[in-house]
Amino acid sequence: MSPHVAIGRRLELFVDDHLIQSLGGGARQVLHHPQPREIVLSHGHAWEGNVSGYHTFLQDGGQVRVYYRGAQLNERIPPKSPHPEVTCMALSEDGIHWTKPTLGRVSFQGSRANNILLDRQGTHNFAPFIDTNPDVSPQARYKALGSAKRPLHGLLPFVSPDGISWQPASSEPVISDGKFDSQNVAFWDEGRQEYRAYYRDFRDGVRGIKTATSSDFLHWTPGEWLRYTGAPEEQLYTNQVLPYFRAPHIFVGFPTRYLPDRGQITEGVFMSSRDGVEFHRWGEAYIRPGLNRDRWGNRCNYIWHGLIETPSDLPGAPNELSLYSTEHYYEGNTNYVRRFTLRMDGFVSIQAPLSGGELVTRPLTFTGEKLLLNVSTAAAGSLRVELQDPQGNPLEGYTLEACDEIWGDTIEHTVTWGGDADVSKLVGQPIRIRFALRDADLYSLRFA
């Protein structure tokens, strides 16, 4: 094991203990919860319905897309499913305001005036991604996994040049060691140069998550169960794992915790991983159902797949992260998707009260000329930074006393010591970073 962590110029989050040597005083890791915003989608068209779901949100250049299942279930009125499941698409310029385009691709009740993309294989849980493999064929820039219909069993691969015209990449399922009646996702892992899939299975009657890898999206390794050190066994319905786009070496996930003994209610939790198999999973709910009765029903409160960068409604504020979650599931003839927002990098922070606290990192090496922090303080709060040698001795010119006091709220604050930000003479040299916080939160750091 290396005596230090090489971070280069990567953005580093505090979602785990990867960089943490010690926390002192009142400093602790704190999970931050997305805040509810407006309903952005309702699914009341005849080809949609109250179990429309398994949404996948993709940022595609200047456009945002969402793919989702259109489906209706009438528990007491035959037929229980009045129409076949279909895959639909909606579009947005900002991730907040959405339109459902007339695609003209699939006939529904004699009309093609709808936003349906697919009406055959894969429609139960069609989950696309944009393939960032540098060697990807332009005809397969978009890829997806979707469950096969009986008598086939497993996940079918699909490809598309534009995200609209889809073709199966195989007539047979390419992953079959699971149950799959959930949202099963995949993406290109740029760090390991391979495709990775996350999918649903059962073990001893408990819903859980497996992962598999592939070099070509067609031939996959046997599934491996995810591991959660220190977390209890729980029923996990969806997984929603994806690389965090600002730090793609870190995977974040928003799995659904399923509570069959409480009326089959569900809620999202948060987890993260650096190897794709071992996850740090927080026990607290990431999004509670809250005071909204539409979020307390059977299989409500799912967090859907995707993190979208959206504008803040605060004047002059930087962009934030949007997540999307369902409500009013199984009820009436429609359900809804509500947007939730989070500070950029704001999953977990190192937080200290006004009385103070400290974080000291493990020894690390970096490249770059300055240290940037995503930090928030109270008006009376502050943060100072000291650079140390691996033994914890302050480095001349970079002491806590020399650090210019940081206060305010910013996504990227440049740390200075006596007005000077230059740390380039320390490049390649193992150092520790000591942070002294007072009524402050530290979300992320990077060298630039």
Side-chain angles (χ1 to χ4, degrees):
M1 183 176 178
S2 173
H4 64 268
V5 181
I7 68 171
R9 298 190 184 190
R10 294 195 310 252
L11 179 78
E12 287 292 347
L13 308 175
F14 294 100
V15 292
D16 52 24
D17 62 358
H18 184 67
L19 286 185
I20 299 172
Q21 180 68 46
S22 64
L23 294 172
R28 61 192 183 105
Q29 281 177 291
V30 174
L31 180 70
H32 293 270
H33 303 276
Q35 298 302 302
R37 303 299 184 190
E38 66 285 305
I39 288 175
V40 293
L41 290 167
S42 62
H43 296 315
H45 288 307
W47 56 89
E48 297 174 325
N50 62 11
V51 290
S52 296
Y54 295 145
H55 296 64
T56 300
F57 289 82
L58 299 179
Q59 191 111 37
D60 190 6
Q63 186 182 71
V64 187
R65 300 183 179 194
V66 60
Y67 298 82
Y68 62 94
R69 177 185 70 203
Q72 171 73 24
L73 185 64
N74 297 323
E75 288 283 8
R76 301 177 181 85
I77 307 172
K80 288 187 175 182
S81 299
H83 67 77
E85 294 175 333
V86 294
T87 297
C88 306
M89 184 179 75
L91 302 174
S92 175
E93 297 299 317
D94 59 7
I96 303 171
H97 306 92
W98 293 84
T99 60
K100 298 177 181 179
T102 299
L103 298 174
R105 300 186 61 82
V106 174
S107 178
F108 181 86
Q109 297 179 353
S111 173
R112 292 180 180 269
N114 57 59
N115 63 328
I116 301 174
L117 281 175
L118 300 169
D119 65 346
R120 292 181 176 83
Q121 288 284 15
T123 53
H124 177 70
N125 49 15
F126 193 75
F129 67 99
I130 299 172
D131 190 352
T132 54
N133 181 348
D135 298 325
V136 65
S137 163
Q139 295 305 305
R141 179 172 176 258
Y142 296 79
K143 290 184 171 67
L145 293 175
S147 291
K149 297 182 184 296
R150 294 177 181 175
L152 299 176
H153 171 78
L155 295 177
L156 291 168
F158 296 82
V159 296
S160 171
D162 57 7
I164 298 174
S165 301
W166 291 90
Q167 299 295 327
S170 168
S171 60
E172 297 292 326
V174 293
I175 300 175
S176 58
D177 61 334
K179 297 301 181 186
F180 309 118
D181 57 332
S182 179
Q183 192 166 4
N184 309 289
V185 304
F187 52 83
W188 173 253
D189 179 356
E190 68 177 51
R192 298 168 186 83
Q193 295 289 289
E194 62 188 3
Y195 296 99
R196 185 172 283 276
Y198 289 89
Y199 55 96
R200 156 83 160 270
D201 202 358
F202 279 83
R203 180 166 54 180
D204 301 326
V206 177
R207 294 163 176 83
I209 303 165
K210 282 182 175 177
T211 185
T213 61
S214 172
S215 61
D216 60 5
F217 200 61
L218 296 176
H219 303 90
W220 292 83
T221 62
E224 181 177 4
W225 289 100
L226 301 194
R227 300 190 295 271
Y228 314 97
T229 301
E233 182 177 78
E234 293 182 298
Q235 301 257 12
L236 298 178
Y237 211 98
T238 58
N239 69 78
Q240 315 305 35
V241 175
L242 72 164
Y244 179 45
F245 65 92
R246 283 168 53 87
H249 63 293
I250 298 175
F251 296 169
V252 294
F254 309 90
T256 299
R257 175 164 52 205
Y258 174 64
L259 300 165
D261 59 339
R262 294 192 176 186
Q264 303 186 76
I265 57 176
T266 49
E267 61 188 3
V269 297
F270 176 73
M271 63 184 187
S272 65
S273 176
R274 291 174 183 265
D275 65 7
V277 178
E278 184 83 30
F279 278 78
H280 175 76
R281 195 177 84 232
W282 292 73
E284 296 79 15
Y286 200 49
I287 295 179
R288 290 182 180 181
L291 293 171
N292 183 346
R293 66 161 300 276
D294 284 342
R295 303 188 69 83
W296 280 98
N298 182 349
R299 289 171 172 80
C300 294
N301 214 32
Y302 284 84
I303 298 175
W304 297 131
H305 192 248
L307 280 169
I308 303 300
E309 184 174 348
T310 53
S312 171
D313 59 3
L314 296 174
N319 287 352
E320 56 194 5
L321 298 173
S322 282
L323 301 86
Y324 304 85
S325 180
T326 195
E327 54 194 57
H328 200 253
Y329 208 71
Y330 277 137
E331 297 186 33
N333 295 313
T334 187
N335 64 16
Y336 308 104
V337 175
R338 186 176 297 276
R339 187 171 71 101
F340 286 73
T341 58
L342 190 72
R343 179 194 186 90
M344 197 66 69
D345 308 339
F347 310 108
V348 176
S349 75
I350 304 298
Q351 184 182 94
L354 189 62
S355 57
E358 291 196 356
L359 158 69
V360 178
T361 71
R362 303 180 194 276
L364 59 87
T365 57
F366 69 91
T367 59
E369 299 174 352
K370 57 186 178 180
L371 174 59
L372 303 178
L373 306 179
N374 184 338
V375 60
S376 172
T377 79
S382 68
L383 186 148
R384 292 182 188 269
V385 183
E386 179 174 274
L387 304 185
Q388 304 176 342
D389 67 18
Q391 289 71 46
N393 301 306
L395 296 174
E396 186 178 355
Y398 301 102
T399 63
L400 208 64
E401 294 73 24
C403 182
D404 298 309
E405 187 177 38
I406 300 165
W407 51 270
D409 203 316
T410 177
I411 301 300
E412 275 194 349
H413 178 88
T414 301
V415 182
T416 57
W417 293 265
D420 187 2
D422 186 20
V423 295
S424 59
K425 68 181 182 182
L426 302 176
V427 167
Q429 173 181 331
I431 63 167
R432 293 185 193 270
I433 310 177
R434 174 190 175 195
F435 297 94
L437 303 93
R438 296 176 61 253
D439 201 357
D441 288 272
L442 175 63
Y443 295 93
S444 66
L445 66 83
R446 72 181 179 93
F447 288 88

